[in-house]
Amino acid sequence: MAITESTAMNAPRLTAWRVPLARLVRSTRGVRTSVIAPAVVYGHGGGLLNVVAKGPRTTENTPALVMVGTGDQHWSTVHVDDLAELYVLALETAPAGSYFLGAGGENPTVRKITEAVSCSIGLGGRVEAEPVAKTRDRLGPLGEALLLDQQASGDTARRRLGWSPQGPSIFDDIARTDF
């Protein structure tokens, strides 16, 4: 599902608390406020890629890394350094009540991400889908959020703030990370 700043906020349970808080922050008068909704953050060996890398493996002779769900869902992503720059730009120049998606524009499937992590951890790119119910049982509310199919570009921040993500791609970062 393509997401923009005008898409209705329909957050999963894990982040549902943010919706009323974002509305309150954006409507506050007398102070310049902005809300940034970050995509899946990666970089410098941190973030949700560690959940993928430390995920279960199959037990055959040639083990495979188990994906979050079927792997067909997309994750919007952003490098941590690019996200930090967006926060600085918003603090310095965004109009009051602004809302930005902190998404670098790269929206790979979970399958592609997991294959890259599988290569990085020595499993040769082998992956296996996990039933959705099992992902939800294993990861709880985090699993529900990671099963969503979401794609975002961050174009509004580019247009309005001049944000220009420069960080390495998620795949370059995976290749350089020692999980």
Side-chain angles (χ1 to χ4, degrees):
M1 173 170 146
I3 297 172
T4 69
E5 285 79 0
S6 61
T7 302
M9 289 185 186
N10 187 15
R13 279 188 308 157
L14 183 68
T15 58
W17 60 270
R18 291 182 186 176
V19 175
L21 184 59
R23 285 188 188 115
L24 176 66
V25 167
R26 293 182 67 204
S27 67
T28 299
R29 302 291 173 233
V31 63
R32 194 165 50 85
T33 62
S34 295
V35 171
I36 297 173
V40 172
V41 182
Y42 67 90
H44 307 296
L48 285 173
L49 293 178
N50 288 302
V51 172
V52 175
K54 291 177 181 18
R57 281 118 170 102
T58 61
T59 56
E60 301 108 33
N61 290 338
T62 53
L65 186 58
V66 175
M67 292 183 288
V68 173
T70 65
D72 295 332
Q73 72 273 28
H74 295 84
W75 286 348
S76 295
T77 62
V78 64
H79 190 274
V80 65
D81 295 340
D82 293 328
L83 183 61
E85 171 154 347
L86 177 56
Y87 276 103
V88 170
L89 286 168
L91 179 65
E92 292 176 346
T93 63
S98 297
Y99 174 65
F100 301 102
L101 296 177
E106 194 174 18
N107 303 290
T109 64
V110 170
R111 176 175 296 280
K112 293 287 185 194
I113 292 169
T114 309
E115 288 171 345
V117 171
S118 173
C119 285
S120 180
I121 63 174
L123 296 179
R126 291 181 303 279
V127 299
E128 186 174 301
E130 179 176 54
V132 168
K134 193 165 184 180
T135 294
R136 286 189 176 122
D137 287 345
R138 179 169 64 92
L139 297 173
L142 176 61
E144 291 175 6
L146 296 178
L147 288 166
L148 296 174
D149 182 42
Q150 299 182 329
Q151 298 182 58
S153 66
D155 285 345
T156 300
R158 286 174 177 78
R159 267 192 330 274
R160 293 179 68 194
L161 302 178
W163 183 49
S164 179
Q166 302 293 314
S169 76
I170 191 168
F171 298 107
D172 289 341
D173 190 75
I174 290 169
R176 287 187 272 209
T177 299
D178 183 23
F179 291 103

